[in-house]
Amino acid sequence: MNKMNSRLIAVLLPLLAWGWAALRPQPASAKQPPLVADSAFFRYPMPIEPELSGSFAELRRNHFHGGMDLRTKQREGIRVYSAAPGTIVRAGVSKVSYGKVLYVRHPNGMTTVYAHLSRFCAPVQRLVRKQQRKSGQYETDLRGLSIKTRNDKPIARSGNTGSSGGPHLHFEILQDSLRLNPALHGIRISDSVPPALLHLAFYSRDLPLEIARSISVPDADSLLQASFMDAPALDYAMEKVIIEERDSLQRLADRLSDTLYSRRAPFLSLPHVIDGEAYTARYFKGDSLPDTLYLHDRTAFGIHALDSIQHMPFHYGLYRLSFVILTEGKSEPDTLAFYQLDALSINTCAQIDQHLDMPFYEKTRKRLEKSWLDARQTFTPYIRTGNRGFLDPVPGKSYTLVIGMEDVSRNRTVVRIPLTSK
C-alpha cells in the first residue's frame, strides 16, 4: 500500500504543479499584452502595468467622460494593441479633440477607439499621408478602411495629440449609439478605495417674497397680557386662538430658513430657481455634516463625491449613486434617484450641465450632482427617480436620507442623515 501511495504521489505532484502554474497570473509579455480568447471581452491595450488617470462617465468641465484614460506615466511612443481581434475601419487626425485616433470594429459588434496617439501603424500611416497630400490639409478623417489587426503587431503608438493634458491613451468602447463602460468589458484596474463624500447639498423651497416680508412673530407674553380697547383680560377661548395664531406664524417664520441644524451649519448658501419657484440651497462639507435636518416643505438633495485608487494621484467618478428615503413607520424605502453607469448615449454626453448644480460650480468650480430633475430637463443619467428626486415631507414624520456611493470595483460609501419634518 505504501508503494502504491508513493507511486500515486509521484504521478500527481507534477500534475498539481502544472495546474497551479497554469492558474497563477502570468506576467505581461514585454512585447504585447496578454491575449483574450473571447472577443466579447477586451484586453488591456498596452504592454505596461494597467493604471487609470480618468474613469468612464467622470464629470468633466463640459461633458461626461466617454471612456477611460489609461496612464502612460508621462511617456509617449508606447505600443498600442487592438483590445481584441478586429478591423481598423477609421482613422482621424485633428489638432483638437481626439488628435490622432483609430477605430477598430470587432466581431461582437462593438467598436473600440484609441485616441491622442503619436503615430499609426504603417498601413494606416500610408493612407493618412496620401489623403493629407491630396487634400493639402493636416486634419483628415478616413472612413471605410478595412485593415485587419494582428495579435503580434501594434496598431499605433501612444501620444499626446489633440485636446490632451498630458501623454496618455484615451480608450472607448462603442456600440450603436452608446458609449459602454470599459470596466465591464475586461478593462479592469485594481482598486480597494471607497468613494469620499466632499459636500452635501440641501435644497428647500422658499416662501413667496411678499409673504415672507409680511411675517412677524409677536412676543407670546405681550399678546396674552394685552387688552383690547381697555376690555377685560382675554378669556380662555380667545387665549387659545391667539396661541394657535402665534404658533402658526412661528411655523411660517421657520420656513424662511426651512431648516434648523443640530450643532453644524452650512458653509455656503445659494439661491436657486427650480420649476419657476425660489429655493435656497445650503451646502455642508463632508467632514461637517449635520446630525439632523429639519424639514418644512419640499426638499431635494445633492452630493459632490470623488473616488480614488490606491497609490494614484487622480480622482475619478462614481459608478453607482443612490438617494433613498426611509420613512418612519413604512417598511419599504423610497428611491429619490439612482444611476448605474454601464453606458451613456453618445448624443447626451455633453449635456452635463443639466445634471450638475451650476450655481455651486460657478461659485466653487466643484461638480455637485443633484438628486432632482427640473420640469424642463431633457437629460439625466438617472435610470430611476421618484417624485423627480424631491421629498415632500409629512408634518410630524421622521425620515432618514441614505446616500449610497459606489465605484466600479464595488467599493462603497454610505451616508445616513436623520430628517425631521416640522
Side-chain angles (χ1 to χ4, degrees):
M1 181 66 72
N2 289 337
K3 288 183 179 180
M4 185 177 294
N5 287 340
S6 298
R7 289 175 183 170
L8 185 61
I9 291 172
V11 171
L12 286 177
L13 278 177
L15 291 174
L16 290 171
W18 175 85
W20 174 246
L23 290 172
R24 282 185 303 174
Q26 300 298 310
S29 167
K31 293 184 178 180
Q32 64 184 77
L35 302 180
V36 174
D38 187 352
S39 64
F41 296 92
F42 299 102
R43 63 182 179 183
Y44 198 77
M46 293 183 290
I48 57 175
E49 183 70 22
E51 291 185 351
L52 192 68
S53 59
S55 63
F56 177 77
E58 188 176 288
L59 308 175
R60 297 292 176 88
R61 181 177 60 85
N62 56 7
H63 66 284
F64 291 91
H65 190 219
M68 278 183 168
D69 284 344
L70 306 179
R71 195 180 184 207
T72 60
K73 298 184 178 179
Q74 296 301 309
R75 294 160 51 198
E76 296 186 41
I78 295 174
R79 289 181 296 276
V80 176
Y81 292 85
S82 179
T87 303
I88 299 173
V89 294
R90 181 181 174 188
V93 178
S94 174
K95 295 178 182 178
V96 295
S97 187
Y98 286 169
K100 293 184 177 180
V101 58
L102 284 180
Y103 294 74
V104 178
R105 186 164 297 151
H106 304 279
N108 62 2
M110 298 179 186
T111 297
T112 49
V113 183
Y114 311 79
H116 308 305
L117 305 168
S118 61
R119 62 182 182 270
F120 305 119
C121 62
V124 175
Q125 191 71 24
R126 284 193 295 269
L127 293 172
V128 167
R129 286 178 177 171
K130 181 180 178 180
Q131 179 64 25
Q132 288 172 328
R133 286 193 298 269
K134 181 179 178 181
S135 67
Q137 301 292 326
Y138 171 76
E139 296 194 344
T140 187
D141 186 7
L142 279 177
R143 303 188 184 217
L145 303 180
S146 183
I147 300 172
K148 296 290 185 181
T149 63
R150 291 176 51 181
N151 290 330
D152 60 341
K153 295 290 184 182
I155 59 173
R157 298 287 178 135
S158 69
N160 188 32
T161 57
S163 301
S164 173
H168 72 284
L169 176 67
H170 175 87
F171 178 79
E172 285 185 25
I173 302 176
L174 307 178
Q175 187 170 41
D176 300 324
S177 62
L178 296 176
R179 288 185 168 105
L180 307 183
N181 190 336
L184 306 178
H185 298 274
I187 311 299
R188 300 303 295 267
I189 310 294
S190 177
D191 177 14
S192 60
V193 182
L197 176 65
L198 302 184
H199 297 96
L200 168 73
F202 170 64
Y203 305 85
S204 55
R205 183 161 56 187
D206 296 337
L207 286 174
L209 189 59
E210 61 273 14
I211 296 178
R213 287 175 174 169
S214 69
I215 295 175
S216 60
V217 183
D219 178 73
D221 292 335
S222 64
L223 266 177
L224 297 179
Q225 292 173 5
S227 60
F228 182 69
M229 295 180 64
D230 297 324
L234 300 172
D235 60 21
Y236 174 76
M238 183 59 70
E239 180 178 331
K240 184 178 179 181
V241 168
I242 290 176
I243 290 175
E244 289 176 350
E245 180 67 16
R246 187 275 318 273
D247 290 345
S248 175
L249 289 171
Q250 185 62 59
R251 285 193 295 272
L252 285 174
D254 287 344
R255 284 179 57 188
L256 288 174
S257 64
D258 204 54
T259 184
L260 302 172
Y261 310 104
S262 190
R263 290 205 309 269
R264 296 186 177 106
F267 78 97
L268 176 66
S269 296
L270 293 174
H272 277 253
V273 177
I274 304 174
D275 295 344
E277 295 185 288
Y279 279 70
T280 297
R282 297 171 179 84
Y283 305 92
F284 300 86
K285 293 184 178 179
D287 59 359
S288 187
L289 297 175
D291 53 4
T292 304
L293 284 172
Y294 293 88
L295 316 180
H296 297 277
D297 202 346
R298 170 164 279 198
T299 302
F301 309 94
I303 59 110
H304 170 219
L306 292 174
D307 188 35
S308 299
I309 295 177
Q310 60 277 6
H311 313 306
M312 288 287 101
F314 308 100
H315 289 107
Y316 313 97
L318 302 177
Y319 171 60
R320 286 196 182 104
L321 172 62
S322 60
F323 296 88
V324 174
I325 295 294
L326 306 179
T327 305
E328 176 190 20
K330 185 177 179 180
S331 59
E332 293 297 320
D334 295 302
T335 298
L336 296 184
F338 168 77
Y339 70 55
Q340 176 174 302
L341 296 173
D342 296 337
L344 282 173
S345 170
I346 293 174
N347 297 326
T348 57
C349 281
Q351 300 180 28
I352 191 171
D353 58 324
Q354 297 191 42
H355 179 60
L356 298 183
D357 181 330
M358 293 309 294
F360 185 74
Y361 177 75
E362 290 164 5
K363 186 78 174 179
T364 66
R365 296 299 167 188
K366 300 183 186 303
R367 298 168 180 84
L368 188 143
E369 304 181 72
K370 308 174 302 184
S371 76
W372 52 271
L373 310 180
D374 192 276
R376 297 168 295 178
Q377 190 164 330
T378 59
F379 164 76
T380 178
Y382 293 120
I383 56 178
R384 187 161 70 248
T385 59
N387 198 29
R388 289 195 293 119
F390 293 94
L391 169 64
D392 290 308
V394 176
K397 280 280 187 182
S398 293
Y399 304 88
T400 300
L401 169 65
V402 182
I403 303 172
M405 297 155 283
E406 190 172 314
D407 63 30
V408 77
S409 296
R410 304 301 192 266
N411 301 304
R412 180 182 299 175
T413 297
V414 178
V415 174
R416 294 175 173 85
I417 299 177
L419 310 173
T420 299
S421 178
K422 290 294 187 178

